[in-house]
Amino acid sequence: MSEFWIYFQIGLKHVLDIHAYDHVLFLIALAVPFSFKDWKRVVLLVTLFTVGHTMALLLSVFGIIAIKVNVVELLIPITILITALFNLFTAGKTNQKESINLVFFITLFFGIIHGLGFSNYFKSILGGSATSKVLPLGEFALGIEAAQIVVVFVVLILSYIVQTVFRFSKRDWTLVMSAFIIGIVIPMIVESEIWKR
């Protein structure tokens, strides 16, 4: 049980690390267009992201996939940018339900990209064979899922407060938050190591 808590806490800290806020930014971008009545859909999106993240770690642990760190570190802020831009172009539109399958697929794919960003570190903290890493990987994934649900519910609570107390429309709130996220992410893309050759 103590080993479970070790990997569970690593998962929690991976998401909630103040110095690696890209994960939280992605979750904010993902959750900001939704409200409490959509909580099931938001939790499903978060779970799909965790599944993608875990799939990437599994593929990496078993040596099926390897990708250069600087490429992944560029792709991660690009996924956040795409999510925030999607929010800008769909905010307030009524046909959002039609695009939800696309959002599910993209969230799963973006989870894979984010997982690849953590794969080298994850492999370095675990010794032994690839099969011995499967259980710790599951424990780690549960920690990630728990932390992501906490972040998403904080976003939903904040959205509720802003829309009821401060009378922001859902559309305006989505636009403001998405623009804020874009403003943070563009410098991350511009300052990426991949451009420094």
Side-chain angles (χ1 to χ4, degrees):
M1 194 65 176
S2 64
E3 202 170 281
F4 168 83
W5 282 111
I6 289 168
Y7 294 111
F8 185 83
Q9 285 179 333
I10 292 171
L12 282 174
K13 288 175 185 168
H14 172 59
V15 174
L16 302 174
D17 182 2
I18 197 81
H19 302 295
Y21 52 87
D22 55 339
H23 207 127
V24 172
L25 276 179
F26 179 78
L27 291 169
I28 294 169
L30 194 65
V32 81
F34 297 100
S35 55
F36 270 115
K37 67 179 171 50
D38 307 310
W39 72 268
K40 287 180 184 173
R41 189 180 297 168
V42 180
V43 169
L44 180 58
L45 282 170
V46 164
T47 303
L48 280 171
F49 185 79
T50 305
V51 167
H53 199 280
T54 307
M55 279 170 47
L57 290 175
L58 270 173
L59 292 170
S60 176
V61 160
F62 283 96
I64 297 166
I65 191 167
I67 191 163
K68 289 182 179 176
V69 174
N70 60 350
V71 172
V72 178
E73 286 178 358
L74 173 66
L75 289 176
I76 288 171
I78 288 173
T79 64
I80 302 166
L81 178 66
I82 291 168
T83 307
L85 286 171
F86 179 80
N87 291 345
L88 283 183
F89 290 109
T90 59
K93 302 260 171 69
T94 52
N95 63 348
Q96 258 192 322
K97 288 187 172 90
E98 294 166 19
S99 63
I100 201 68
N101 289 339
L102 176 68
V103 172
F104 286 165
F105 173 76
I106 289 170
T107 302
L108 179 69
F109 179 69
F110 285 179
I112 292 169
I113 292 170
H114 283 244
L116 289 171
F118 194 69
S119 61
N120 287 338
Y121 174 75
F122 189 78
K123 285 192 289 188
S124 74
I125 62 172
L126 288 175
S129 66
T131 50
S132 70
K133 296 176 184 176
V134 173
L135 184 61
L137 179 56
E139 295 160 348
F140 172 75
L142 287 172
I144 284 182
E145 182 74 357
Q148 289 184 157
I149 288 171
V150 167
V151 171
V152 160
F153 273 96
V154 167
V155 172
L156 292 177
I157 290 165
L158 191 60
S159 296
Y160 177 79
I161 292 168
V162 167
Q163 289 172 48
T164 54
V165 176
F166 298 104
R167 301 283 183 207
F168 261 68
S169 71
K170 187 175 175 181
R171 178 185 171 274
D172 289 349
W173 172 243
T174 303
L175 290 173
V176 166
M177 287 305 294
S178 298
F180 171 74
I181 291 165
I182 290 167
I184 294 173
V185 166
I186 287 176
M188 290 168 73
I189 294 168
V190 171
E191 292 163 13
S192 172
E193 290 294 319
I194 207 161
W195 312 121
K196 296 169 186 172
R197 290 189 171 200

